[in-house]
Amino acid sequence: MAAAVHLGYAQRGAALTALLARYLREVAAGHQEVNTMTTSLKHTRMYKIFSLVGILLLLSTARADVRLPSFFSDGMVLQQKTNVRIWGMSAPGEHLTVRPSWSRQSVHTKASPDGKWTVSIQTPSAGGPYSCSIKGKNTIVLKDVLIGEVWLCSGQSNMDMPVKGYMASPVEHSNDILLDCTNPSLRLFHVARAYAGQPQSDVKGSWQQAAPASVSSFSAVGYQFAAILQKNLRVPVGIIQATWGGSPVEAWMDSVMVSGILGDSIKTDRAISKAVHQVPGNLYNGMIAPLAGYGIAGVLWYQGEQNRHNYKWYAALQKAMVGHWRKAWNLGDWPFYYVQIAPMRYPESQSAAVPRLREVQLKLMDEIPNSGMAVTLDVGEEHNIHPSGKTAVSKRLAYLALANAYKQAGLAFRGPECRSVEIAGEVIKLKFSYAVNGLTSFGKALTQFEAAGADRTFWPAKAEIHQDEVWVWCDKVKSPLAVRYAFTDWAVGELYNVEGIPASSFRTDDW
């Protein structure tokens, strides 16, 4: 009996010790499971005895090891020719030395009373692989570190859509993309889905070299953009993916900011719900806040379908989100390049909202500093919200980056935009910007134009290209006042500049 009693205590002691050790790990990581484990401890008979053990173990963590967020790890890519931040946790007041192999100078810092520390390190021109050591009471050595260009891609399902495609929803030429993807100079970091009510300090993920196994599950738009940059710039490129399908813009920004913009309208906002990925602030806190400050060249954004339900608020929300992120990064107005939602046939109750959301997105280019938009009017699918033609999207984002962020002359990067309207009898003449060499339909008839008179009834119209102008007329509208182009949920873009970049849907009225 005595032996059995002693064995029971030994088993309980081992279990409690394990629980205490886990408790301490969770305390260090700041996880929400701490409260649950504390309750479990208090309900054990051995709680009082082992409280002393817990206190001793807690005291031992005063010599806590240096810890880094997951994105500061082997294989990472750091932004070139700038001051990059590296941060982490250690024992309070601990002195640390950070020594990058690309420099002869070390950087010294001291952890704050809560154990947080950060350093700023100058990076050279693109190159590597390098190493970087962080030394406190223990030493971490980061290996295979590359210096180059780093971009973040985020948004909902069309940015999330992996190279391998979704179930029964393919990505065009996916296997050929994977066949040619192996590239040690291209690194991927895929942030695992996470949500939180308060900003977190870390994410789950790891840096991977581009290879079929890593690329197949990575964003098709994000990967192909990064591959184009790497090939064109001939420097290492890192791409970070933080995406969640079906998410509204409200989930990717501070919840207090959302409430300030929407006011009482938040109660009837159909873009959000109680689903964890649609709660304002949840995805910013869980997936973006931990990354804020990591050196990047810019951000790619493909989102909007969920916000067709509240398109009237989208401009204010999107501008606020970009401002919020830029402030959190504290790196100035880095480039923000986004994708206009593609055409699709939506339920009749939603069809009128879709072109209006595209219209909002078109106007945002001139309202968000250092931004640009990739038009997708010609690559949608009538009955698929996830069109397979992701290569064209990636290329159009790359045009924006190469022409603007990297100052490569000769590349067109913006599609034709109607800048003036002239009514000449029964004909409306539309003149376009971003068509230096004129307009084209590549030999196809223009079928997406409509015209209306004072009764505001739109009729299918005929249209012809005259250099950088389109002349529109309709036999049923003798005194035209307004023209619309592809201003429906489902349409197939036909109008391009000579360089091959499509025009967005648009209208000349505000009816």
Side-chain angles (χ1 to χ4, degrees), residues 271-319:
I272 64 177
S273 74
K274 293 182 179 180
V276 294
H277 65 299
Q278 293 183 343
V279 174
N282 262 10
L283 303 189
Y284 174 79
N285 292 332
M287 301 174 70
I288 298 299
L291 300 169
Y294 190 94
I296 59 172
V299 169
L300 309 177
W301 178 254
Y302 194 166
Q303 190 278 333
E305 291 90 348
Q306 182 63 19
N307 286 96
R308 67 187 183 273
H309 300 296
N310 67 343
Y311 70 90
K312 293 180 180 179
W313 293 102
Y314 193 73
L317 290 166
Q318 184 73 92
K319 286 189 289 186

Side-chain angles (χ1 to χ4, degrees), residues 161-165 170-183 186 188 210-228 387-395:
M161 192 175 190
V163 171
K164 64 183 178 183
V171 166
E172 193 174 35
H173 307 306
S174 61
N175 222 36
D176 290 335
I177 294 170
L178 295 175
L179 187 66
D180 297 326
C181 74
T182 300
N183 186 348
L186 177 51
L188 319 171
S214 58
V215 170
S216 64
S217 58
F218 201 85
S219 164
V221 170
Y223 162 71
Q224 290 184 92
F225 169 88
I228 294 169
S388 62
K390 294 294 189 280
T391 302
V393 179
S394 302
K395 286 182 176 180

Side-chain angles (χ1 to χ4, degrees), residues 356-430:
R356 283 169 170 77
L357 177 59
R358 290 202 299 265
E359 181 179 53
V360 171
Q361 292 179 308
L362 177 63
K363 293 178 179 179
L364 278 170
M365 272 193 291
D366 296 322
E367 297 178 17
I368 298 176
N370 200 15
S371 69
M373 183 183 74
V375 176
T376 58
L377 198 66
D378 58 337
V379 294
E381 295 181 20
E382 187 172 6
H383 301 293
N384 184 7
I385 201 170
H386 304 123
S388 62
K390 294 294 189 280
T391 302
V393 179
S394 302
K395 286 182 176 180
R396 289 167 188 173
L397 290 170
Y399 298 152
L400 286 162
L402 292 169
N404 294 307
Y406 298 107
K407 308 302 180 184
Q408 292 196 357
L411 280 174
F413 59 88
R414 191 161 173 169
E417 294 172 26
C418 182
R419 77 166 186 262
S420 67
V421 180
E422 177 188 351
I423 299 176
E426 296 183 4
V427 178
I428 293 184
K429 297 181 179 181
L430 308 174

Side-chain angles (χ1 to χ4, degrees), residues 16 19-20 23 34-48 51:
L16 187 54
L19 187 58
L20 280 166
Y23 176 82
V34 170
N35 291 336
T36 302
M37 284 188 283
T38 301
T39 302
S40 299
L41 282 169
K42 287 182 177 178
H43 284 86
T44 62
R45 286 186 174 183
M46 301 297 291
Y47 175 72
K48 292 183 179 179
S51 288

Side-chain angles (χ1 to χ4, degrees), residues 57-132:
L57 287 171
L58 282 168
L59 290 173
S60 72
T61 62
R63 296 180 58 85
D65 285 347
V66 176
R67 303 186 303 282
L68 299 172
S70 59
F71 37 86
F72 294 123
S73 61
D74 293 350
M76 68 179 179
V77 183
L78 296 177
Q79 182 63 32
Q80 67 170 327
K81 295 185 287 188
T82 190
N83 286 309
V84 299
R85 286 180 56 213
I86 296 177
W87 64 88
M89 294 288 294
S90 67
E94 184 171 357
H95 291 272
L96 299 104
T97 300
V98 180
R99 180 171 298 167
S101 68
W102 59 83
S103 173
R104 295 181 179 180
Q105 294 183 336
S106 299
V107 180
H108 304 277
T109 191
K110 180 180 177 181
S112 61
D114 61 1
K116 296 179 181 178
W117 58 267
T118 183
V119 296
S120 180
I121 300 176
Q122 179 69 39
T123 54
S125 298
Y130 297 105
S131 64
C132 183

